[in-house]
Amino acid sequence: MLKKIFSFFVAFVSFILSLFGIGTGSGGNNYVFKDLSYGSSKEQTLDLYVPKDAKKTCGLVLFLHGGTWIDGDKSEIEEETLKSFCNDLGYAAATMNYRRVSSRLSADDVISDIDLALLKIKEAGNDYETNINRVLLYGKSAGGHLALLYGYSKTMNAPMKIAAIVAESAPSDLSDKNFYSAFSTLAGSKDEIYSLMSNVCGKKFNEKNFARAVSKLKAVSPITYVSSNCPPTLIAHGKNDSVVPFTNAMVLDSALSTMKVRHDFVVFENSGHDLSGDSKKTKELKDITSGYIKNYLK
């Protein structure tokens, strides 16, 4: 059941293409790396496209797929999308798989995977005398959570500059009890919810002893790491989201404002988790995201 909760990411692919008003390039002008391994696990692979005519330094858009931290695949971002970022915008583009959380692996392990993936991408670029030195992290749902968590907690020591983050329908505070009640309306089993979140934070807990895990939940919550050094952030969230509560987006917006971090908060008044109910807001999100790409990856 929980695997279905974040199943909106496939529809998100076509949205990305329309978001930037770009076509589907041929791919002939790119260096292509498919299923490039960046670790010893079979899950640690990525697809990377680097423009052959890239400048000596080049920006990167890295997509992080959704899937409740236990599902999803890098293929949800289609090859044509990655080609288009290279051919039409002139940036490197990548989509990565990461190890899924389990009783043995927590969100901290996934953050390590993003580190390793960025190092591998830099290495691949260097092979063609291209310094991929800055990245825009783009994620939705669980992928958005990972983009925010990595971007905020690794601001000062990532392998390349984190230029900006775009996060749609993303959890930002896993200790928010509204988060659990929102999940329960869809998942049906609270045991399943608490088991999942135990794995995400690395501390086994349930509804009765929730308090014992709060510190661990905060340790894997992006909100914990908000500071004046955070990269520019675009938040998009639906007011009717029954998966990730709107309160998560509100507290993140407030924290970023307090720290005077450059950010935008696009509220989809009539939308749920898939942001499909506000055509005007979709246009607004498209325009702001295009601005982030142009301003922060240039």
Side-chain angles (χ1 to χ4, degrees), residues 15 17-22 234 266 268 280-292:
F15 172 70
L17 284 174
S18 64
L19 190 66
F20 302 100
I22 56 181
L234 171 54
V266 182
F268 284 66
K280 289 184 178 180
K281 288 297 180 179
T282 299
K283 173 64 165 59
E284 181 181 345
L285 179 59
K286 167 187 173 180
D287 292 342
I288 297 174
T289 305
S290 296
Y292 271 53

Side-chain angles (χ1 to χ4, degrees), residues 90-163:
Y91 299 114
T95 179
M96 63 176 286
N97 279 342
Y98 44 82
R99 291 173 294 169
R100 297 165 182 178
V101 301
S102 66
S103 59
R104 296 179 297 103
L105 297 169
S106 71
D108 286 336
D109 296 291
V110 184
I111 294 304
S112 296
D113 283 356
I114 298 173
D115 244 355
L116 292 173
L118 290 176
L119 286 169
K120 193 67 175 182
I121 289 169
K122 281 188 68 72
E123 178 185 307
N126 289 338
D127 287 343
Y128 294 94
E129 298 183 347
T130 298
N131 178 21
I132 302 175
N133 65 346
R134 57 202 184 279
V135 59
L136 182 146
L137 301 170
Y138 203 130
K140 184 171 183 177
S141 299
H145 162 264
L146 295 170
L148 291 169
L149 181 59
Y150 184 87
Y152 292 173
S153 66
K154 303 284 289 186
T155 303
M156 306 305 291
N157 57 355
M160 62 182 71
K161 179 182 178 181
I162 303 168

Side-chain angles (χ1 to χ4, degrees), residues 207-228:
E207 187 176 12
K208 292 182 179 179
N209 58 16
F210 178 84
R212 69 182 290 189
V214 168
S215 62
K216 286 288 189 179
L217 290 167
K218 288 188 177 297
V220 291
S221 293
I223 192 74
T224 301
Y225 302 96
V226 172
S227 74
S228 59

